Amino acid sequence: MKVLVIGGGAREHALCRALSLDPDVSALHCAPGNAGIADVAELHTVDALDGDAVAALAGRLEADLVVVGPEAPLVAGVADAVRAAGIPCFGPSREAARLEGSKAFAKEVMAAANVPTARSYVCTTPEEVDEALDAFGAPYVVKDDGLAAGKGVVVTADLEQAREHALACGRVVIEEYLDGPEVSLFAITDGETVLPLQPAQDFKRALDGDEGPNTGGMGAYSPLPWADPKLVDEVVETVLQPTVDELRRRGTPFAGLLYAGLAITGRGVRVIEFNARFGDPETQVVLARLKTPLAGVLLHAARGTLADEAPLTWRGDSAVTVVIASHNYPATPRTGDPIGGLDEVAVQDAPHAYVLHAGTRREGEAIVSAGGRVLSVTATGGDLTEARERAYAAVERIHLDGSHHRRDIAEKAASRP
């Protein structure tokens, strides 16, 4: 099987790494990729938002499967263009991807499917914003209706900050605050069958102790030793399957990766948000634990034959990923700084720990930073304690001037009896 992956972040590096280990994959391509992905896939230049260009590239490469990683190309309809060219594509259509592209649309679908979620208002005027903020009170949860690269949500007790964010967005969803731990659960679906992956937990805030500004994600771990063993089955039954069924009923079936961001509240599971693609950095830890070869599963989903896929198998170990971010991330990150220590990790820490690249590029012989989140250092171990130790040992070998990372990823979960 020849596979083309679209994207260039750590999520795509994790996907490419898993696909490169699949014996059924004979050729692996990525566009545009990054400095780390170049080690496992052949890189190509393409405008990832141009569906015709992506389809043409896939045709030239004689790809048997295209996997679209990021949300923006999906919302732009890239998967539609690839499928129109007769090439199987893992990723939802433009219409189905509205589940992530519009928070208001997602709320509408959840209401129709009777999926449990936070009460909310969709606001387009300052008067509606003020009424919604007053109705819910602090802490305020304000979400940009459209895509915002994981940084469109503000949760704050400061009324003025909440109002300022709402007015800057134009169209916003303001909703009640959901208490309780958050869980990310991915499911592969062909628009009918739903195949859940293992749950993970990510860390959105920039600093230890969940302090600092919201980010795209600073780390993650899996499995969740504190979670109810019945959680996955419950979420499939009450959230994922009803959502997939509702989108199919509307004539816009969702085929690809459906990501549910969940809050485990005192009143039960509630959906915080849906995404239409693999999450970053959760993908890094979930795929580190997946034993089933990935390519065949994605191809079944793309072809509408997921019911033929055997149940997924998982390794018994734990996985932790720690994100190394550029100086000043998530504000205006500094780029162009050389990255050292990558070879040391490859020699000293493999195979239990490895580095997945996100915002990197090659300049001559050097690899330099090229984005806010630069690397995802990922490790596995017999339990979360061992996985954490291995991940942070590898992090310490990395040298990137001005960089920062959280030191408490999976700390509480690992310390539970």
Side-chain angles (χ1 to χ4, degrees):
M1 191 189 307
K2 298 176 182 176
V3 182
L4 169 62
V5 176
I6 301 301
R11 162 187 47 226
E12 287 75 36
H13 195 173
L15 285 164
C16 285
R17 181 181 184 274
L19 290 166
S20 74
L21 298 173
D22 187 331
D24 288 335
V25 175
S26 57
L28 182 59
H29 304 270
C30 187
N34 61 40
I37 294 175
D39 291 337
V40 294
E42 183 180 345
L43 301 191
H44 303 270
T45 301
V46 76
D47 179 353
L49 299 178
D50 185 336
D52 290 338
V54 171
L57 174 62
R60 288 196 302 275
L61 296 174
E62 300 181 334
D64 301 299
L65 173 67
V66 175
V67 179
V68 182
E71 60 273 24
L74 293 168
V75 172
V78 167
D80 304 81
V82 173
R83 278 191 281 267
I87 302 168
C89 184
F90 182 79
S93 66
R94 181 202 305 262
E95 280 299 309
R98 289 179 65 206
L99 205 59
E100 177 169 5
S102 169
K103 303 290 191 300
F105 175 73
K107 289 289 188 181
E108 178 190 316
V109 170
M110 283 188 272
N114 200 29
V115 168
T117 187
R119 294 179 297 119
S120 63
Y121 295 100
V122 179
C123 306
T124 56
T125 68
E127 292 76 20
E128 289 173 346
V129 166
D130 290 339
E131 287 177 14
L133 293 172
D134 183 61
F136 287 128
Y140 305 100
V141 181
V142 183
K143 300 180 175 181
D144 191 334
D145 180 54
L147 295 180
K151 289 172 274 189
V153 179
V154 164
V155 181
T156 179
D158 185 328
L159 176 60
E160 280 310 306
Q161 184 186 4
R163 189 172 189 273
E164 181 181 346
H165 181 66
L167 298 180
C169 292
R171 189 178 197 226
V172 294
V173 173
I174 296 175
E175 63 184 36
E176 66 175 327
Y177 175 76
L178 296 175
D179 64 326
E182 295 185 12
V183 173
S184 300
L185 184 62
F186 303 161
I188 293 170
T189 178
D190 59 2
E192 190 164 349
T193 299
V194 172
L195 195 63
L197 305 186
Q198 289 288 299
Q201 186 174 61
D202 76 332
F203 294 74
K204 291 291 189 198
R205 299 284 185 170
L207 307 176
D208 288 1
D210 289 329
E211 299 291 331
N214 219 35
T215 72
M218 295 298 292
Y221 69 94
S222 179
L224 313 182
W226 49 268
D228 188 329
K230 299 176 182 176
L231 176 65
V232 172
D233 290 341
E234 178 188 347
V235 174
V236 170
E237 181 181 343
T238 63
V239 174
L240 297 170
Q241 192 70 58
T243 300
V244 168
D245 291 345
E246 172 62 20
L247 287 168
R248 188 175 68 254
R249 186 191 69 77
R250 291 170 176 241
T252 56
F254 187 106
L257 195 289
L258 180 56
Y259 165 148
L262 309 164
I264 314 301
T265 76
R267 295 173 292 153
V269 174
R270 297 289 185 271
V271 175
I272 300 170
E273 64 175 354
F274 282 125
N275 289 334
R277 38 73 195 180
F278 280 99
D280 183 345
E282 300 98 321
T283 300
Q284 289 86 302
V285 291
V286 172
L287 292 187
R289 300 184 56 231
L290 179 64
K291 194 172 181 180
T292 300
L294 183 61
V297 183
L298 302 187
L299 187 61
H300 272 305
R303 286 179 169 169
T305 55
L306 197 57
D308 297 338
E309 176 66 36
L312 299 178
T313 56
W314 298 89
R315 297 182 178 91
D317 54 9
S318 299
V320 171
T321 195
V322 179
V323 171
I324 297 177
S326 292
H327 173 71
N328 206 38
Y329 176 79
T332 306
R334 190 175 76 204
T335 61
D337 290 311
I339 303 168
L342 297 173
D343 291 340
E344 287 86 343
V345 173
V347 171
Q348 301 284 341
D349 301 289
H352 301 297
Y354 48 89
V355 178
L356 297 169
H357 291 231
T360 69
R361 68 172 182 268
R362 184 172 287 281
E363 287 188 357
E365 293 299 308
I367 294 177
V368 303
S369 61
R373 292 187 296 170
V374 181
L375 304 169
S376 285
V377 179
T378 304
T380 57
D383 55 22
L384 285 175
T385 297
E386 186 174 45
R388 284 190 83 245
E389 289 171 353
R390 288 172 171 172
Y392 280 106
V395 167
E396 291 304 313
R397 300 189 205 281
I398 303 295
H399 309 292
L400 175 60
D401 186 46
S403 67
H404 62 96
H405 62 273
R406 286 186 56 157
R407 301 179 185 278
D408 63 346
I409 305 300
E411 186 175 43
K412 289 183 180 177
S415 65
R416 286 174 181 256

